[in-house]
Amino acid sequence: MSSATDWISAISTAALGVAGLFLTGWQWVASGFRPRLVSRIDANREAIEIKIRNRGRASGIVERVAVVAPLGDDLEVQEATFNGFPVGRFAPFIVPGAAAVRLIIEAPDSGSFRPNISLIIDVGEAQARHVVPRHDSRVSLFGLRSVMPPR
């Protein structure tokens, strides 16, 4: 015959097991590359800012950032200057764990981006992320510098 103390012991052991599984799963998720992407375009549509914050502990690679606009059912890559990169062309870079990066992308030849512009960003996942920058009528981003991780 089981006593109340046996049941209390069994339930507390099971609760500790479930808590241990939860913490192990959380540590596994937190130890990876977990980028959070936020983007905005300035009032005159001259520059786009992308903030990439790695919420994970592992480093990760940002493989591609492309400015695109719809062309029928497809997306067309738009010309843009990537501030802080050699010759203004994007090059892959590493985002360290628990770090943040700010990219400034400027419209070519002091022009402006089209109203329906968006971004395709490859951050080491199976599928690229499609990010639509929100229009911020209070700021001018043109001329700001990108903040890149140390090389």
Side-chain angles (χ1 to χ4, degrees), residues 89-114:
R89 308 297 297 171
F90 178 81
F93 62 92
I94 295 174
V95 180
V101 172
R102 180 180 75 182
L103 298 178
I104 301 294
I105 305 170
E106 297 176 348
D109 302 324
S110 300
S112 60
F113 289 113
R114 292 172 28 188

Side-chain angles (χ1 to χ4, degrees), residues 19-66:
L21 284 174
F22 174 76
L23 288 174
T24 301
W26 172 251
Q27 290 298 322
W28 182 74
V29 168
S31 67
F33 177 51
R34 299 176 45 219
R36 180 172 187 268
L37 307 172
V38 177
S39 180
R40 65 182 176 166
I41 191 165
D42 67 2
N44 295 329
R45 308 188 76 75
E46 295 174 321
I48 300 170
E49 175 188 57
I50 306 169
K51 291 182 182 177
I52 304 169
R53 193 177 117 234
N54 183 1
R55 298 173 293 160
R57 295 184 196 123
S59 298
I61 298 174
V62 177
E63 298 168 2
R64 176 179 68 145
V65 175

